[in-house]
Amino acid sequence: MPDFTHEGHRLAYTVYGTGPRTCVLLHGLLLSQKMHRPLAKALARRGNRVITLDLLGHGQSDRPHDMAAYSMPFFGEQTIALLDHLEVDEAVLAGTSLGANAALEAAAAHPDRVRGMVVEMPVLDNALLGCAIAFTPLMVALTFGAPAMKGVSWLTRRLPTGRFWGADILLDTVRQQPGPSAAVLQGLFFGRVAPHREVRKTIEAPALVIGHDRDPVHPFSDCDALVTELPHARLLRADSLLELRLSPERLTTEIGEFLDECWKPRHKAGGGAPRTRAAGAA
């Protein structure tokens, strides 16, 4: 797996497809780039160069034990550092949950590098209570129950890997050593969740926001609010949390068509249209 170094840490990534139209896929909390493998392959077949990235503390990237190494703005900067490493001028950023928030951070800090965004299940203002209820027990278990969690990690690492994609993704979250995972949660718990809503209103990149009902960690109200905040966003309702994973055809088609729109030549004036340049020029 290729990698590069950012701020003294190794970050791992995978490239699917070729060409000037670059899309970066960002995973969810404590997951890995493996979760986006089917989507990456599908988008690559549509003529995109797709890169999946393991953010710091996840997957095959370095996993420091220091909570100060982790924050949402840092994840945004790591995404832009990937573009620098690949010598890519601009890309469409697509992320799920934590990855969605990292895409928002990157777009807020480096608007000239973001051609568009696919924001699936962002974690914003209305999700804070649900996140506290969902992740505080996990953070406590990883921190104070580290010996037991190390045993779980040791046991699950001995299970066969690579046979079932969905099972692999879930097992990977507990195969990791608990210390760095606890540090990730602690760093995010005490940091900001996403750019402030007033900052989000300034993000001009076109955005496809994907949400679904009945999830307190990713409430649909956050998606609805984000579409009103972003100047050039539209909302796509998923049937469930699992639709893009288990029955991806409809959403994959929508995402692919959105990428096609992002890479059309744009004019200088009007409607947030970015710079006049050859589509995908790097």
Side-chain angles (χ1 to χ4, degrees):
M1 183 176 293
D3 61 69
F4 68 101
T5 300
H6 174 66
E7 300 291 336
H9 295 297
R10 173 184 169 274
L11 300 176
Y13 66 93
T14 304
V15 179
Y16 300 84
T18 60
R21 297 172 21 151
T22 299
C23 175
V24 178
L25 299 182
L26 302 170
H27 54 76
L29 178 63
L30 301 184
L31 300 173
S32 73
Q33 60 175 292
K34 190 182 295 183
M35 72 170 288
H36 283 312
R37 184 187 297 160
L39 178 59
K41 291 180 177 179
L43 295 178
R45 286 194 293 269
R46 294 180 63 101
N48 300 285
R49 181 193 187 201
V50 184
I51 298 101
T52 57
L53 172 67
D54 281 329
L55 295 164
L56 190 68
H58 296 79
Q60 298 300 311
S61 292
D62 282 350
R63 307 184 72 238
H65 286 72
D66 182 6
M67 62 174 283
Y70 303 106
S71 77
M72 208 62 74
F74 289 171
F75 290 146
E77 291 299 326
Q78 290 161 26
T79 305
I80 298 301
L82 171 67
L83 301 186
D84 292 339
H85 169 71
L86 296 173
E87 299 182 341
V88 172
D89 190 31
E90 59 179 353
V92 176
L93 306 183
T96 301
S97 190
L98 176 141
N101 288 37
L104 289 170
E105 291 283 2
H110 302 274
D112 59 318
R113 308 296 298 277
V114 180
R115 184 82 178 196
M117 297 183 296
V118 179
V119 183
E120 184 195 13
M121 302 187 303
V123 180
L124 302 175
D125 306 31
N126 296 314
L128 297 185
L129 179 58
C131 287
I133 293 172
F135 292 115
T136 299
L138 177 59
M139 183 171 63
V140 171
L142 290 169
T143 304
F144 299 106
M149 296 302 293
K150 286 180 179 178
V152 173
S153 172
W154 180 89
L155 179 63
T156 52
R157 285 200 304 272
R158 275 139 186 83
L159 295 176
T161 186
R163 295 183 180 180
F164 302 102
W165 167 75
D168 250 4
I169 294 170
L170 296 176
L171 284 172
D172 282 350
T173 63
V174 291
R175 285 173 175 146
Q176 303 281 6
Q177 288 296 315
S181 296
V184 170
L185 291 174
Q186 292 162 8
L188 296 177
F189 190 85
F190 293 105
R192 78 181 191 190
V193 175
H196 190 273
R197 68 181 66 176
E198 294 303 317
V199 176
R200 300 196 293 262
K201 292 177 181 179
T202 69
I203 299 175
E204 293 286 338
L208 177 64
V209 180
I210 304 175
H212 61 89
D213 297 317
R214 299 180 297 277
D215 182 351
V217 177
H218 309 101
F220 191 79
S221 56
D222 271 344
C223 295
D224 207 23
L226 183 62
V227 169
T228 66
E229 294 165 357
L230 297 174
H232 309 288
R234 69 177 178 91
L235 182 61
L236 176 61
R237 185 188 294 266
D239 292 337
S240 71
L241 169 70
L242 298 176
E243 182 181 359
L244 188 55
R245 276 87 233 171
L246 300 181
S247 301
E249 292 81 9
R250 179 179 73 94
L251 296 180
T252 298
T253 298
E254 292 274 4
I255 293 170
E257 291 176 352
F258 174 75
L259 265 60
D260 293 342
E261 289 294 320
C262 287
W263 291 111
K264 285 182 178 179
R266 290 170 172 172
H267 305 289
K268 289 183 179 180
R275 302 147 299 281
T276 53
R277 55 182 295 167

